[in-house]
Amino acid sequence: MTNDKTAPQGASLPELPSTPTGSSMSDLQLTVEVDIEHDGDPRPYPSPPLSDLPPSPPLSDLPPSPPLSESPEKDRRQSTSSNIGNGVDVSDNPRMYECLSDEEIEENYLGNIPPHHRRRHGVVNCPSPISSDGADSGQTSPEEHVEDEGPEYGLRRSKLAKPNSRRNGVYPKRVRMSVDEPHPEEIRGEREGRRGSTESNDTGASYSNALAAHVRKDSIAIGLDKLNGFPFRKKSLLGFMNLPLPSKVKEHQTKKELLLHYRVHIFVAVIFVITVSFVSAAWYFHDKQVEDLATTQKIFFDPRSRVLTLRDQVTGDDLTGHLAQDLPKWQLPLHCPISEKGDPNAKECKWKKNAILRIGYFKEGLIQCYNISWEYRNKNHVPFDCFDLGSAFWYGSSNMTNDMLPITGKFSFDPNVYRLKGNGVLSNVLEYYWLSSQAEAIVVDSNDPLHISWNDTVPGKVCLISNYTEPFYSYTQSLLPHLNYTVCNGVDMVETHAFMRKYFLSPSGPPLPSGNVLTHPHYSVQARDYDRDVTETEVMAMTSEIADKDLNCSTLEIDGNWQKTLGDLDLDQEKFANITAMLDSISASKCKMSLEITPFFHFSSVNFKEGVERELFVMDAGGVVPGLTTLGEDFAGVLDVSNPAAKAWFTGKVNNLVSKYQTSAFRFSYGTKAWMPYKPHFEHNDLTPNKIRRLYTEMVTSISQNVVFEQTSQSQHVGELISVRTSIKTSGEKTCLTNTLARALTLGLLGYPFILSDGFDLYDAVTHSTSGMPSMDLYIRWMQLSAFFPAVKYSIPPWSYGSACVQVAKNMSHIHQTHVVPIINNLADDIKKGLPIMRPVWWMDSNNVTAHRVADEFLVGNKLLVAPVVCEGTTTRGIFFPKGIWSDHNNGGRVLVGPKYIENYTVGQFQIPYFTRMQQYP
C-alpha cells in the first residue's frame, strides 16, 4: 500500500490465525484495520460497522499477554541500545508487540485529529507492508530487517515478516518498538538517507499521515469484544505496545477549544450561579424586611391558626389566646396580614359575612395590652375565644360554692340562669376580671352577654362566649352577638393589677364611708329569714342589751318582715305600734336604724296597683302585662330600673321613709332564686344582668351613702359595704369557718375594698328555716377574724354565749379601732386607685410561689399580717411570713424575719395571731 491509496472502506477484519504448537507469544500476529487521513486530505474515512466483523476464536485459544515490566521505559532503553549495538534480532524479545497496519489504525482511530497534532498526542507511524517480491509495494521478506526512526519521538521500528503470517500473499508487518532519545545527528542522517532512497521515500510517504490524536478506547474495546473479548479493554494502544503511558489526554488543548466545547456547561453554570445569587440576595433582604417589620410589629395575631400572643418584655411569658373557635377552621379572614405595614397599633380582620375582629394595642411602662372587639354579622356563629391558663395561679371571679383562693378546679357560669345564691363570688358581684401570678390579666366588658367556661368546655383554658340566649335575652332577638374585652401582660403582678383597676374597672375608687360605718360594729335584729316577723319588742330588747353591756354600735338593722306586705315601703303599724319609743331606744344605744329594702312588690301590696297602671314593672314574655316572679310561696312584680319613671317613683317612696323615721341606712337585697320573671321585657332592650345590678346600686346610693349591698356590679366607684356571710362546714371531726376569707380577698381584687363580715349564713333557702347556732369556740374565732375586716356585723349578738363572749367582742372592737381603722385611713390614696384593704399574702412578694399557696392568712394594707384560726378546737397552726421584719403581738413583740414559715405556732382560744410589719431603714 502506498501513499496514493487508502484502505478500502467497508473491509472487514481478518480472522486471527491460530498459533502453532510450540510457537512463542511473540509469533502472535494481530491485524486491525483503521481509517486514516492523508496529509492535505480533509475527508474522513470512517471505520466499517462492527456488525461486519467476522467471528474470532475464543479467548481461551489466545496466548497470554506478556507481563509488563515494573519499569517499562528503562527496559525499552536498554533493549534498544542492545539491539542496535549488537545487532540482536528484536523479534525474539517477548516484550515487543505487533503494530497495527495503516488500514487497521485508520479504521479504529477514526482519523479525527489533524496531522500536525498527531505526534503531540502520542500517535506513531508504522511502515507500510512490502510485497512478496521485495518491490516498493511495502512487503518485507521473511529475513529482511528494516529499521526506521521517528523524527520526533525517537521511535525505532523493527519490521519482520513471518512466513506463517501471510495474508492474501502479503506479509503483514511485525514491528518491534522501543523508545529512545536519539542523537540529533543520527536523526538528521537518517532523514537525509530516506530522502535519497526511493524505497524509503515511498515507504515514509505512505506514513506521512499522522495517526488519530486519541485512541478511542471504547471503539477498540467494542471491536475487540467482537473478537471474543481480547484483553485490550483496559489498555490504551500505547500501553498495549509497551510504550510509556502519557498523562491523561485532553480532548481539547487550547482555551478556545475548551470554551467552545463547554460553552453550554459554562452557560448553565453561570445561570445557576446568578440564580443562586439572586435567590440568596432576595432571601436575605426578605428576612431583613421581616426583621425590621417585626421590630415595629406590636400585634402578634396569626389569622391562619387564629392564635393571639401577648409576650412579657422581660420574662418572656406569653399569654396565648385561641380566637374565633366557633367559626369554620377552613375560613380565612380577608385583609388580615400577619405583619401589618400600616398602623402597628391596630389590626382588623374580616370573615366574609360572619364577623369582624378589631385588635388595638397600647402600652404603659412594662405593661402592654390588647383590646379585642368582636362584631358578628349573623346569629349562626358567636364570639368564642379561649386563653391558656398555663401553670400560673389565677385569681378573680368564680361561681364555686366553696370559694377557693387561688381558683382551682373548673366551673361554668351563665348569667341567664336566674339564680343568685350558690354562685360563689358571682353571687355578690358580677365582674369579669382575672389576674394571674405571671402578671397576666383579663377583663371583659360587663355589659356583654357573657358565658364563662373555666377549665371546663376546653380543659386548661378559660373560654369567653358571648351570646344573646333565652330566657333572659328573649327580647333581644334582633341583636347580634358582640364581645369586647382586654388582655394585658406585665412584669409585676401588683403593678398589672393597679393598671387594670385604673383604666378598666373603675374611673376612680370609692370614697371612704362617713361616720362610724367602719369604726363600730353593726347589729342585726335577726338572722335572715323571710318567714319571721320582726316586732317592736324585739328591736327594743336588742337596743337595751347593747346599751347595758356598753357595746359600740353603728347601725341596728331591721332585716325581717317590717312591712305589712312586701312592697308597702312603710312600717307595719300593728307590729310597731309605738314607733316613737322604738326610735328613742335605738338612739339611746348609739345606733342608727337601718331598713332592708328590695325591688319586689307583692301583688297585694298598696303600691303594686299603681306600679301596674304606670307600667313601672318588668313585663312578661309578651311585653304587655307585668311579669311576676316567685318570692317564697308568693308572687311579686319587679321594678323596671331601666325606666326613669320607675326609678323616680321608687326613690320617692324610700325618701319618705327617711324623712318619716329619721333613718339614713339601708340594706338592699334581691338575692332570691328567681329575681326576674321568665323572658323579661324592659323599657330598654339593651340590658344585661350586670347592667341591671349597677342601675339598682346607683338608684339606692342616690338616696343614702350608708348602704349594704348583697349583690352589685360595676359599682367600684361607690363607697358601699359588700356583704360576706360566713358558712360553717364540717369535714370529718373538724368544723370550720368557710368562704369568708377567700371571698373577701377576691372582692378586694375586684375593686370592692369595703367588705362587711356579715355574720353567719344560717338560712336555708330550700327549707326556709334557720339552722342551729355555731359553737362558742367557732363564734369566738369568727369574732377574731371579723375584727380585721373593714366592717363587721353581728347577726347573732355576743351576749347569746355569755359574758365571756361579750368581753371578746369588746377586745376585738378595740383591736379594730386601734389597728385596723388607722390603716384604712392611711390607705385613702390606694383605695381611690381601686386597691384593696384586705390583701393576699403574695401582695408583698408576688414572685414567691409559697405565698400563692397560702389561703388562710391575709394582710391589712402592708402593715398587718393576720393568721386566724378558723377550725373548732384548734390551738396550733403554721404561719408563713412574707418578706419583711414582723413583730408578734402575742409573744411580747418577738421579731421574725421573712420570708419564713413557722410550724406549730401556739394559739390560745382568746388569741388571734397578728403581726405588725416594722419599718426598715436602708
Side-chain angles (χ1 to χ4, degrees), residues 229-283:
F230 189 80
F232 189 71
R233 179 186 298 273
K234 297 183 180 179
K235 295 180 179 290
S236 66
L237 177 61
L238 295 177
F240 185 80
M241 297 171 63
N242 203 19
L243 294 177
L245 297 175
S247 60
K248 184 177 181 180
V249 180
K250 297 182 180 179
E251 186 176 354
H252 305 284
Q253 296 296 325
T254 65
K255 293 183 178 179
K256 183 177 181 181
E257 292 174 343
L258 289 174
L259 292 175
L260 184 62
H261 179 75
Y262 292 105
R263 61 184 182 275
V264 177
H265 303 74
I266 295 173
F267 176 76
V268 173
V270 171
I271 293 299
F272 176 77
V273 172
I274 294 175
T275 303
V276 171
S277 301
F278 272 105
V279 171
S280 301
W283 187 268

Side-chain angles (χ1 to χ4, degrees), residues 672-692:
T672 62
K673 184 177 181 180
W675 64 290
M676 282 289 163
Y678 183 73
K679 293 185 177 181
H681 278 64
F682 302 91
E683 179 72 15
H684 298 284
N685 61 359
D686 60 344
L687 291 185
T688 63
N690 307 60
K691 185 177 290 187
I692 292 174

